[in-house]
Amino acid sequence: MVKVFKLVIAGPYGAGKTTFVRTLSEVVPIETDVLDGNKTTTVAFDYGRIRVNDIVVHIFGVPGQERFNFMWRIIARGMHAYIFMVDSTSVDSIKAALNMYNFFESQFANTPHIVAANKRDISKVSLDDVRRILNVPPSIKVVPLIATDKKMALETMIMLLEEVHRAMFRSEAAKTLTVL
Amino acid sequence: MSAVSALASIVKSMEKDLGVGSISLVIANHNNIIFATDIPADQRDIVASTISFVSKYSSLNEARFRNGDYIIYVTKKGEITLVLILSYYELESILYKLLNKHYLQDIIKASEDMLREIDKASPELSITSDELTEEDILILLDFFKAKLREVESKGG
């Protein structure tokens, strides 16, 4: 049976989620935000996929607008991990992500994640400031990212998977201790 | 034109033709929302609950109810559930016109096109599979590390 690793890319509108999915995916991502003139913003979701032997990595981008927050929980259901992405070019763009980050951090407290500070090529805000503004817990990594850069996108994936592996080890160790 | 653009265009035509200020449309495939336009903030929870409710009752194909200042109209065809949200005062006068015109059929058709686009890429929102083991995660790690080495060797 094919196994599934479900990864969710969360973050506000304009954080670079679609670009990240496009950089990593083996399939053309499904269309997401579409501006219809200046009136209607239409949403579906970003979707990408990578197959590794018998494991399929499904990558879902969450619509960033707060008015679609009822979809966040639906898309996040069953995820194994998530990357929270922010446009780190300015303090204001990071502050705009605060509500969404609080939502994910509180609703999915036990799900491994990292925070990706995107657009580092044009950012003047330090990673420490990103952490401070979003109030990211010390145990969670804040990593630099340029979503168009395949090398950085792969490094981000590796860091996330290391977090997932660590979380699995922790839980296995906890189970062993309980048995003992 | 993609299915998403087609749906946005249909909503725009409906608003223009029926002379209403704003129509919100949500489309779900079973319990999964696959399309949504702007939804009034105080209607989001009821819309999500309605989709969940309708998807569980196969015999329920159409419903209309009032919630605050809005009328929520739900119709289901096969795997597709459509939810229309309009101002109560506007919808009362145009509902008959809305339901007897080609719009709903057009929306259903565009939704089916969208489902086909989604199926083509095979995403699974409600995923079930065997539990991932530590070995599976290590396989994924090795894969991405190998990809990284490949990119680095190309000078990327």
Side-chain angles (χ1 to χ4, degrees):
Chain A
M1 184 182 181
V2 172
K3 290 186 176 182
V4 166
F5 181 84
K6 181 175 178 177
L7 167 64
V8 165
I9 315 295
Y13 182 74
K17 302 183 293 292
T18 305
T19 307
F20 184 79
V21 174
R22 195 175 292 138
T23 301
L24 281 178
S25 178
E26 289 172 348
V27 297
V28 178
I30 289 178
E31 186 177 7
T32 173
D33 306 329
V34 177
L35 286 172
D36 180 17
N38 56 3
K39 184 179 169 290
T40 309
T41 304
T42 310
V43 301
F45 51 83
D46 293 319
Y47 170 73
R49 186 185 60 202
I50 302 163
R51 179 152 189 154
V52 184
N53 300 334
D54 286 338
I55 309 165
V56 180
V57 180
H58 292 276
I59 309 171
F60 293 91
V62 176
Q65 297 92 328
E66 290 244 354
R67 63 177 180 273
F68 297 119
N69 59 9
F70 66 96
M71 289 176 71
W72 298 348
R73 199 177 280 110
I74 293 170
I75 293 177
R77 192 182 302 142
M79 69 179 170
H80 293 97
Y82 68 94
I83 296 171
F84 191 87
M85 196 171 293
V86 287
D87 170 352
S88 65
T89 50
S90 72
V91 168
D92 285 346
S93 63
I94 300 164
K95 279 181 180 169
L98 188 56
N99 282 346
M100 192 175 190
Y101 184 66
N102 285 340
F103 174 89
F104 271 80
E105 233 276 304
S106 60
Q107 296 291 314
F108 308 104
N110 296 321
T111 306
H113 77 278
I114 58 175
V115 174
N118 193 21
K119 308 185 186 179
R120 295 310 293 168
D121 48 337
I122 51 171
S123 173
K124 291 187 175 118
V125 183
S126 72
L127 293 183
D128 284 344
D129 281 341
V130 173
R131 177 182 290 282
R132 183 181 52 76
I133 294 165
L134 290 178
N135 198 20
V136 179
S139 59
I140 303 300
K141 283 183 180 167
V142 177
V143 301
L145 176 69
I146 301 168
T148 51
D149 184 328
K150 187 147 191 172
K151 183 172 173 282
M152 290 188 93
L154 289 166
E155 285 168 345
T156 303
M157 279 300 292
I158 290 167
M159 279 186 267
L160 178 75
L161 286 165
E162 283 171 347
E163 289 307 307
V164 173
H165 183 235
R166 200 166 292 137
M168 283 181 69
F169 253 147
R170 269 205 298 265
S171 58
E172 286 303 316
K175 275 182 207 165
T176 309
L177 283 174
T178 308
V179 171
L180 289 173
Chain B
M1 184 191 279
S2 73
V4 173
S5 301
L7 283 165
S9 174
I10 293 167
V11 172
K12 204 172 178 181
S13 299
M14 284 165 73
E15 288 171 352
K16 194 177 169 191
D17 196 14
L18 300 173
V20 293
S22 176
I23 296 174
S24 299
L25 170 67
V26 181
I27 299 171
N29 174 30
H30 297 297
N31 209 11
N32 299 321
I33 293 170
I34 57 170
F35 178 93
T37 59
D38 202 353
I39 301 164
D42 57 348
Q43 302 300 309
R44 289 171 201 156
D45 286 346
I46 192 81
V47 167
S49 304
T50 302
I51 289 168
S52 175
F53 181 80
V54 169
S55 69
K56 282 179 187 156
Y57 294 92
S58 57
S59 58
L60 183 62
N61 288 317
E62 193 176 30
R64 177 169 64 112
F65 59 92
R66 182 178 178 177
N67 185 47
D69 288 339
Y70 291 89
I71 285 279
I72 298 178
Y73 172 79
V74 192
T75 184
K76 190 165 69 176
K77 191 187 175 201
E79 296 180 352
I80 295 169
T81 300
L82 306 185
V83 185
L84 288 162
I85 305 112
L86 282 97
S87 153
Y88 171 73
Y89 305 100
E90 287 183 326
L91 186 66
E92 274 302 278
S93 59
I94 61 143
L95 185 63
Y96 181 78
K97 201 175 167 187
L98 176 74
L99 301 185
N100 283 280
K101 293 199 86 173
H102 53 86
Y103 298 118
L104 293 184
Q105 290 93 310
D106 290 350
I107 292 171
I108 296 274
K109 188 185 170 303
S111 305
E112 287 167 345
D113 289 344
M114 177 183 273
L115 279 181
R116 270 191 289 276
E117 284 177 16
I118 292 170
D119 284 343
K120 216 169 151 187
S122 305
E124 298 172 45
L125 280 171
S126 303
I127 290 168
T128 52
S129 86
D130 284 350
E131 284 282 315
L132 288 168
T133 63
E134 186 186 347
E135 192 188 351
D136 295 327
I137 301 301
L138 291 174
I139 288 169
L140 289 176
L141 262 171
D142 284 348
F143 171 82
F144 284 105
K145 282 177 180 173
K147 280 270 178 197
L148 179 61
R149 280 194 297 273
E150 197 180 303
V151 170
E152 282 173 338
S153 69
K154 286 178 187 166

